[in-house]
Amino acid sequence: MFSEEKLNKVKEIIARYPAGKQKSALIPVLHLAQEEFGGWLSAETMDYVASLLQIKPIEVYEVATFYSMFNLKPVGKYVFEVCQTGPCMLRGSDNIIDYIKKKLDIGVGETTKDGLFTLKTVECLGACGYAPMMQLGKHFREHLTPEKVDAIIEECRVKAN
Amino acid sequence: MGRKLLFDKAHIEGIRYYDVYRANGGYGSAEKALRSMTPDQVLDEVKKSGLRGRGGAGFPTGMKWSFIAKPEGVPRYLVCNADESEPGTFKDRYLMEFIPHLLIEGLLISSYTLGCNSCYIYIRGEYAWIPDILEQAIAEAKKNGWLGKNIQGTGFDLEIYVQRGAGAYICGEETALIESLEGKRGNPRIKPPFPAVKGLWDCPTVVNNVETLAAVVPILRIGGEEYSKYGIGKSTGTKLISACGNINKPGVYEIEMNISVEEFIYSDEYCGGIANGKRLKACIPGGSSVPILPANLLLKTAKGEPRMMTYESLADGGFATGTMLGSGGFIVLDEDQCIVKNTLTFARFYHHESCGQCSPCREGTGWMKRVLQNIENGKGKMSDIDLLWDIQRKIEGNTICPLGDAAAWPVAAAIRHFRDEFEWHVLHPEEATKRNYGLAHYADPLQIAAPAAV
């Protein structure tokens, strides 16, 4: 269940659309739900969102499964989403992905045993001029090098403690 | 220095905030439009300017606006396409992040012209920090009487809302974007009806790219006619180019559309040449979907004329020897890059992003990806190259939306211009996993057919 504050946010989002068009709030509300409920969308969470927006659960499932930013299974506390499309590849993203794999001892799509890190490869995030890069939470980490990756991992470990 | 119209004040500290933006002439164009011009007069200026859609298609903006249906009692909507997802493209991000009021002012003028009282900025979900910047700018504009009810006492009302997507390239296609804004999967709609007649919630809707809407501000400032004097021919005004790949100075540049490709790549004002002293092998000048060109065809057209940074010059020679300006996502490859690998990343991208509605695209993109993977991994056959050609031909033109074409063109162009590199991969699988094909003959001067002797 959302807090009072989050429920008000949902109301505020719904008010952006004409009466009866509250389904338009679905993607923004799913973002809110994912942030609020552990970084992923369980069936229960999706059903809850459906009830909030007065739409059928299936309408939520079909959207949640379409968009790549919605996680449908649990992920680590920190998700490294490393871009691997052409412009990043030209600037060495393959090496960065390999480095993270070795450093964290996980494969793409896997989470470390301590539940801290998940590695995902993603397609172009719009930071081609600052490649190689990854998304970490709300922000981009750009011009990645092995040293920068080390620093980011350390930063996350410190924050987690 | 080239003339600037969008970034002319980008260097001013604090231009992101209302007070600084306003003190430097900001909202002057909106003031002019709302106070002294009718919507039709504004539309005339935009038509005169020759402005073309900056998202990739290059369709004349004034003409697109004139198509909007105006039935009595039905609201009209302006939707700003900030989904920017074409690999190589990151120009709108820069504009929204650093000069958000330029976009807000453009939205205000455009909404006034179209008669819209609600406007939505649909921004790609991954640009997760930018909605805060835009919403702050919207709040500042509202506080100062540029949004909300009875704007500047003119009686015109406008609300602007920011909506985040959630990771889907296809939502950059205008009807998929509208579906997404309605809270659905981003499946493109069959056209007609066009959004201008039946768009968001079945109401008349105009969808324009961020840069297009921002360009309306300088058009009103200097006048449509003056704007049209920038650039060459039908490529009027300035264009934001996001340059990336193996160059010395990747970044976002505003160019007047009258410079050569060579100047753009090699001059210190722009890309600053190829990184690490390497040589230029190839370039994809308009985002991943436009045809890749080898160095020799990039810098000079097949007729031997210098290739210019304009819609027309880049397209000179059609797909046989030309390409497109597209979204301005300028991707440069140096001599060490592998065309097969590069093409594979794009094929994988389009496979990942296909919405799955049309079978040629849904099945074809995955098929091309698998064949390219085989060639890249040294398991390719000579017949695979023709197979790739065949698959892309069967996708192009056979889908509801242009994603199918966008997936087909990069593969077609790579084979058209770099077939010998594909063949080398097939013939030397061992060697191809250890080293790249290199520059080969791709930068050699073209043999231009001499005019027949009389």
Side-chain angles (χ1 to χ4, degrees), chain B residues 101-273:
Chain B
H101 282 286
L102 187 65
L103 175 60
I104 308 295
E105 187 179 0
L107 292 173
L108 171 55
I109 300 167
S110 308
S111 298
Y112 171 72
T113 312
L114 293 161
C116 305
N117 303 114
S118 296
C119 167
Y120 296 89
I121 303 173
Y122 183 97
I123 183 165
R124 67 176 302 175
E126 293 90 342
Y127 287 173
W129 69 98
I130 299 181
D132 295 345
I133 297 170
L134 292 171
E135 276 166 358
Q136 192 193 341
I138 289 168
E140 286 178 333
K142 206 165 181 174
K143 200 176 135 208
N144 288 282
W146 295 104
L147 290 175
K149 296 261 177 229
N150 192 18
I151 293 168
Q152 302 292 313
T154 59
F156 180 65
D157 305 337
L158 178 66
E159 294 291 343
I160 299 177
Y161 305 103
V162 183
Q163 175 106 350
R164 264 178 85 196
Y169 167 75
I170 190 63
C171 291
E173 193 281 333
E174 60 179 8
T175 60
L177 188 156
I178 290 170
E179 287 282 302
S180 183
L181 196 44
E182 292 182 358
K184 301 178 200 153
R185 297 165 76 93
N187 287 347
R189 295 175 180 172
I190 293 171
K191 297 191 261 192
F194 288 90
V197 176
K198 220 174 164 188
L200 183 60
W201 302 306
D202 286 345
C203 298
T205 304
V206 165
V207 183
N208 278 138
N209 170 259
V210 170
E211 184 190 345
T212 312
L213 292 162
V216 173
V217 177
I219 288 171
L220 268 275
R221 186 170 66 233
I222 63 175
E225 192 145 341
E226 186 59 29
Y227 185 91
S228 73
K229 291 179 191 157
Y230 284 64
I232 303 172
K234 285 185 179 167
S235 295
T236 64
T238 62
K239 175 85 189 81
L240 300 184
I241 306 287
S242 56
C244 62
N246 310 116
I247 46 174
N248 280 318
K249 291 167 51 192
V252 183
Y253 298 100
E254 180 174 14
I255 60 157
E256 186 175 343
M257 286 193 270
N258 64 1
I259 63 168
S260 69
V261 174
E262 189 165 3
E263 181 183 350
F264 183 69
I265 294 179
Y266 291 102
S267 89
D268 282 334
E269 191 179 343
Y270 305 110
C271 302

Side-chain angles (χ1 to χ4, degrees), chain B residues 258-316:
Chain B
N258 64 1
I259 63 168
S260 69
V261 174
E262 189 165 3
E263 181 183 350
F264 183 69
I265 294 179
Y266 291 102
S267 89
D268 282 334
E269 191 179 343
Y270 305 110
C271 302
I274 308 302
N276 305 317
K278 303 275 181 189
R279 288 169 298 173
L280 170 71
K281 179 174 181 178
C283 175
I284 302 148
S288 59
S289 61
V290 312
I292 187 170
L293 286 183
N296 48 15
L297 271 176
L298 176 76
L299 301 176
K300 285 205 169 103
T301 66
K303 294 176 218 149
E305 291 161 357
R307 179 101 54 192
M308 308 299 284
M309 294 288 284
T310 66
Y311 290 100
E312 291 74 23
S313 182
L314 281 165
D316 190 284

Side-chain angles (χ1 to χ4, degrees), chain A residues 26 30 46 49-50 55-65:
Chain A
L26 180 52
L30 283 175
M46 291 190 273
V49 169
I55 56 178
K56 294 189 201 87
I58 184 70
E59 294 177 86
V60 180
Y61 305 159
E62 62 181 17
V63 163
T65 52

Side-chain angles (χ1 to χ4, degrees), chain A residues 76-134:
Chain A
K77 194 169 166 65
Y78 300 101
V79 185
F80 289 179
E81 298 178 272
V82 190
C83 177
Q84 57 171 353
T85 314
C88 272
M89 183 276 291
L90 296 174
R91 304 290 295 212
S93 59
D94 287 358
N95 297 338
I96 295 294
I97 295 165
D98 285 344
Y99 184 77
I100 298 173
K101 278 187 193 164
K102 268 191 213 127
K103 177 93 187 178
L104 295 176
D105 193 24
I106 50 173
V108 172
E110 293 177 359
T111 301
T112 52
K113 284 193 193 99
D114 58 8
L116 267 190
F117 300 101
T118 300
L119 172 62
K120 272 169 88 174
T121 51
V122 294
E123 300 296 347
C124 189
L125 297 186
C128 318
Y130 324 110
M133 63 79 67
M134 67 157 120

